[in-house]
Amino acid sequence: MTESASDLLAILGMFIATLACRAGGYWLFSRITPGPFIRRTLAHVPGTIFTAFVVPALVRGGPQDWVGAAATIGSMLLLRNLGLAIAIGVAAAWGWHALV
């Protein structure tokens, strides 16, 4: 099998796994009604997943990463616009990289 064919097969496998997980979740929650505790717990899952990806990258990263993260957090607190906060964070990281 060629490299591009195996890459395509891997992407297709990830697509199927993602689709199965999402469809399984919708199917499961159409059959049961979660209680208040489960609802509150599930409301925090996206934030914890995001944190699990971001924190290790920041720990390994350098000043450019920290400047970008600080600019993103600061602009999010001020502007309450996620897309704009991410754009500002990326611009700050690029600016730091250009200056240093």
Side-chain angles (χ1 to χ4, degrees):
M1 182 178 292
T2 65
E3 186 175 327
S4 61
S6 62
D7 291 347
L8 185 59
L9 189 60
I11 291 169
L12 182 61
M14 289 184 280
F15 168 75
I16 291 169
T18 302
L19 187 62
C21 287
R22 292 185 69 118
Y26 286 122
W27 177 83
L28 178 65
F29 283 109
S30 72
R31 303 281 187 261
I32 64 171
T33 303
F37 175 74
I38 297 295
R39 286 186 186 167
R40 284 193 309 270
T41 302
L42 290 175
H44 294 287
V45 168
T48 58
I49 291 172
F50 178 76
T51 303
F53 280 108
V54 170
V55 169
L58 283 176
V59 169
R60 285 190 310 268
Q64 176 182 351
D65 300 315
W66 285 96
V67 166
T72 302
I73 292 169
S75 58
M76 185 64 194
L77 290 172
L78 290 173
L79 304 173
R80 302 281 189 212
N81 182 324
L82 181 60
L84 187 56
I86 291 171
I88 290 170
V90 169
W94 280 349
W96 179 268
H97 182 71
L99 290 175
V100 176

